[in-house]
Amino acid sequence: MIVTLDARLPPTLTDADNLTALKVLAPPGGDRAAMLNGLGRPEGDHAWLGIAALRGMGPDDAGWRAGFDAMIVYAASKGWLSADGLAVRSHVETVET
């Protein structure tokens, strides 16, 4: 899954069916917190993405939701969830737009 940030648009989700990878693509510079637009918060080269908000960006499909939940269980096993279990850690890649 790829979350793409843009200063002019809300975050978008692409490659939603790839539940084995999660990353954020962001333009250089700019206010990443503002670009995340409530989806999460930046932290260095990573972002904490709200699990419920991220799930809400995906397709309305029971199979996809089950796969998403399995991805979150895997992330928890690797220590990639916030202490409260409400956010998942994602790497942020800087890309030119």
Side-chain angles (χ1 to χ4, degrees):
M1 295 175 33
I2 300 170
V3 175
T4 303
L5 304 182
D6 184 311
R8 302 163 302 213
L9 301 167
T12 58
L13 179 67
T14 58
D15 202 18
D17 290 332
N18 181 1
L19 297 170
T20 62
L22 174 62
K23 66 181 172 183
V24 174
L25 301 180
D31 183 349
R32 287 186 178 169
M35 286 186 271
L36 281 164
N37 195 28
L39 177 61
R41 64 177 174 80
E43 184 177 87
D45 291 337
H46 296 87
W48 289 99
L49 304 176
I51 294 169
L54 190 58
R55 182 184 291 116
M57 293 175 72
D60 185 17
D61 174 80
W64 183 87
R65 286 190 303 272
F68 179 88
D69 292 342
M71 179 185 77
I72 297 302
V73 168
Y74 177 78
S77 77
K78 297 295 185 183
W80 299 333
L81 294 190
S82 59
D84 61 9
L86 299 177
V88 61
R89 186 174 185 236
S90 173
H91 183 73
V92 177
E93 292 181 17
T94 302
V95 294
E96 295 291 332
T97 54

